[in-house]
Amino acid sequence: MTNIKISNNLAKLPPYLFTKINQLKKEAYDKNLDVIDLGMGNPDLPTPNHIVERLCDTIKHHKNTHKYPQAKGIPKFRKAITEWMTRRFGVDLDPENEVLSLIGSKEGIAHLCMSYLNVRDYVLVCDPAYPVHFNGVSLVGAKIHFMPLLEKNKFLPDFTKIPESIARKSKIMFLNYPNNPTAAVVEDTNFWKEAIKFCKKYNILLVSDNAYCELTFGDYYAPSIFEFPEAKDVALEFHSFSKTFNMAGWRLGWVCGAKQLLYPLEKFKSFLDYGAPMFIQLAGVAALNGSQDYVRKLSKTYERRMKKMVYGLKKFGWNVNPTKGTMYIWAKLPDKMLKESSLSIAEKLVKDTGLVVSPGIGFGKHGEGYIRMSLVTHDKRFHDALLRIGKFTKNYI
């Protein structure tokens, strides 16, 4: 066997967080434990029927869906996106030049890094963050400056803490609100105005990962960055079908923004792929153009689950607060658990109880001391999950 080594950039990365979680799940299943999986943000509810039916009908009765689609997305798909953006946010986009289809927003974010970054460039990344925000940078070999997300700051980055020398060398800033993993939202819209102002001052591409904009609770409204003046000069916004329409495995998303900012990613992807399959894009059209009642019901489902878990965790002494969006709970470990790492606690939870959660450290250094729970199992199972957490917590009293 030859000893051909992998790339240095890939070798520097630890095993992917969810690969470790999946291994722990497998071990639990092998031990015949009753596993409750709150690890990945993998929706438990099915894709709406009208979307599935559109896919089936397209494959059965429409010609040419077996052919290569346009890499940037078929015109009908791009038009449906721009119409949805107008209805949802009051934002006007050109479907020909200001929208690009993606094979999921994760793919798009990683490829954006590859299309923009050189090894000496800096990227401003929140800590904790959705892992592709920093892993995409690391795979290119560029440099990362982490912006801490602290509870005392409502899990928002403080732009005044970014050193001038770093700001001048930075090319991209990643922001993600509603936030994964902390479930934080932006309630003061001045935050977005300051982000835009900062990025304009230092000529930084501002990337808004808006995958959770539809999963919000009560009267909270998650905006598009393009609702704010001058955002188009510096920003791109990513969207996903995965969470909004429970289409995680379909691998479909989009990015939008000014033509000149989109072009590097469009050019890069033209060398690598032909875009999402045409029949999946047409199913995406059905999702965007169809009734959005399902999405509203989905948000209410996650809100109900969130409230149940928060109430139950508080009874067992966990310091956790209600959220206004996403499908996650970002739970600070009780004081007596803080003597151990979040990874150790997550490992013990699955090994001892069959409950799968994500350790905060997997999302960044400032995620240590927390675990993330995804609200992605049948409502009745949350009662069992809380019983297991309660019993587990007693071991630390």
Side-chain angles (χ1 to χ4, degrees):
M1 182 69 71
T2 57
N3 185 25
I4 301 174
K5 296 182 179 180
I6 65 174
S7 75
N8 290 336
N9 291 337
L10 184 59
K12 291 176 184 176
L13 291 179
Y16 187 51
L17 167 65
F18 296 114
T19 302
K20 175 68 173 176
I21 292 171
N22 285 334
Q23 179 59 36
L24 291 171
K25 279 194 293 187
K26 181 180 181 301
E27 292 172 4
Y29 280 121
D30 290 344
K31 290 165 58 177
N32 294 318
L33 287 175
D34 176 27
V35 175
I36 300 177
D37 188 358
L38 306 183
M40 292 181 66
N42 203 2
D44 62 302
L45 296 171
T47 307
N49 284 336
H50 70 281
I51 302 173
V52 177
E53 289 168 0
R54 176 60 185 272
L55 176 78
C56 295
D57 179 71
T58 300
I59 292 174
K60 287 180 179 178
H61 301 119
H62 291 252
K63 297 179 180 179
N64 300 324
T65 57
H66 63 288
K67 294 186 176 181
Y68 295 127
Q70 293 184 26
K72 66 190 293 185
I74 62 174
K76 193 170 187 177
F77 180 60
R78 287 182 277 116
K79 184 172 184 290
I81 289 169
T82 58
E83 290 173 346
W84 185 88
M85 292 287 291
T86 299
R87 290 193 304 271
R88 173 63 175 82
F89 302 112
V91 168
D92 291 325
L93 296 167
D94 175 8
E96 181 60 30
N97 297 307
E98 296 182 335
V99 178
L100 181 64
S101 75
L102 301 172
I103 310 173
S105 57
K106 180 181 179 182
E107 167 266 315
I109 289 169
H111 283 160
L112 182 81
C113 292
M114 296 177 188
S115 63
Y116 266 96
L117 296 175
N118 300 306
V119 293
R120 293 183 180 179
D121 292 329
Y122 274 78
V123 179
L124 304 172
V125 179
C126 293
D127 179 2
Y130 179 44
V132 75
H133 292 172
F134 48 84
N135 288 337
V137 179
S138 296
L139 286 169
V140 179
K143 303 180 187 300
I144 301 171
H145 177 81
F146 286 109
M147 302 181 292
L149 301 188
L150 306 177
E151 192 166 0
K152 66 181 181 180
N153 294 333
K154 299 182 179 179
F155 297 110
L156 299 176
D158 184 349
F159 303 131
T160 66
K161 300 293 186 181
I162 301 170
E164 177 90 7
S165 59
I166 296 295
R168 293 194 178 281
K169 293 185 287 188
S170 295
K171 189 176 279 188
I172 297 175
M173 174 191 286
F174 284 113
L175 296 176
N176 164 221
Y177 293 94
N179 183 260
N180 175 18
T182 69
V185 299
V186 176
E187 298 189 77
D188 183 353
T189 55
N190 284 322
F191 171 83
W192 290 113
K193 295 174 184 177
E194 288 300 315
I196 293 165
K197 181 180 178 181
F198 183 92
C199 289
K200 287 198 72 164
K201 177 180 179 180
Y202 293 105
N203 196 33
I204 296 170
L205 176 63
L206 175 52
V207 175
S208 171
D209 181 355
N210 210 3
Y212 297 91
C213 63
E214 300 308 278
L215 300 185
T216 57
F217 311 147
D219 60 357
Y220 177 74
Y221 169 88
S224 165
I225 197 166
F226 297 122
E227 295 179 47
F228 300 95
E230 302 184 333
K232 254 191 181 179
D233 294 341
V234 294
L236 293 175
E237 185 165 273
F238 284 77
H239 286 266
S240 170
F241 286 76
S242 297
K243 308 306 193 291
T244 303
F245 300 104
N246 285 350
M247 295 171 65
W250 296 54
R251 308 315 306 134
L252 187 64
W254 77 85
V255 57
C256 50
K259 178 181 179 179
Q260 67 193 51
L261 298 179
L262 272 184
Y263 176 71
L265 178 56
E266 181 181 345
K267 179 180 180 181
F268 187 87
K269 283 173 61 62
S270 71
F271 289 103
L272 298 182
D273 65 68
Y274 289 102
M278 193 183 304
F279 45 86
I280 292 181
Q281 290 189 53
L282 289 171
V285 172
L288 293 168
N289 288 346
S291 170
Q292 303 298 293
D293 288 346
Y294 174 88
V295 181
R296 288 184 279 273
K297 291 178 182 177
L298 182 63
S299 290
K300 289 184 182 299
T301 296
Y302 287 132
E303 183 177 16
R304 182 177 65 248
R305 294 173 177 180
M306 177 274 295
K307 288 179 177 178
K308 183 178 181 66
M309 286 298 289
V310 168
Y311 176 76
L313 287 167
K314 280 181 172 292
K315 285 177 62 177
F316 298 126
W318 287 61
N319 180 17
V320 56
N321 296 310
T323 64
K324 293 191 176 182
T326 77
M327 58 201 300
Y328 307 113
I329 288 175
W330 187 240
K332 188 174 184 179
L333 295 172
D335 289 345
K336 292 190 177 180
M337 289 188 194
L338 290 173
K339 298 175 182 178
E340 301 181 40
S341 69
S342 58
L343 178 58
S344 172
I345 295 297
E347 288 178 337
K348 286 183 177 180
L349 267 170
V350 67
K351 290 178 180 178
D352 296 349
T353 75
L355 180 64
V356 182
V357 300
S358 296
I361 190 63
F363 301 96
K365 181 179 73 173
H366 287 89
E368 187 54 273
Y370 294 83
I371 59 171
R372 192 194 73 176
M373 302 181 191
S374 301
L375 303 168
V376 291
T377 190
H378 192 280
D379 284 43
K380 293 179 181 178
R381 296 290 274 165
F382 289 102
H383 176 74
D384 295 334
L386 286 168
L387 289 177
R388 298 180 193 188
I389 291 173
K391 184 177 179 180
F392 181 82
T393 303
K394 287 181 180 178
N395 295 330
Y396 289 87
I397 296 176

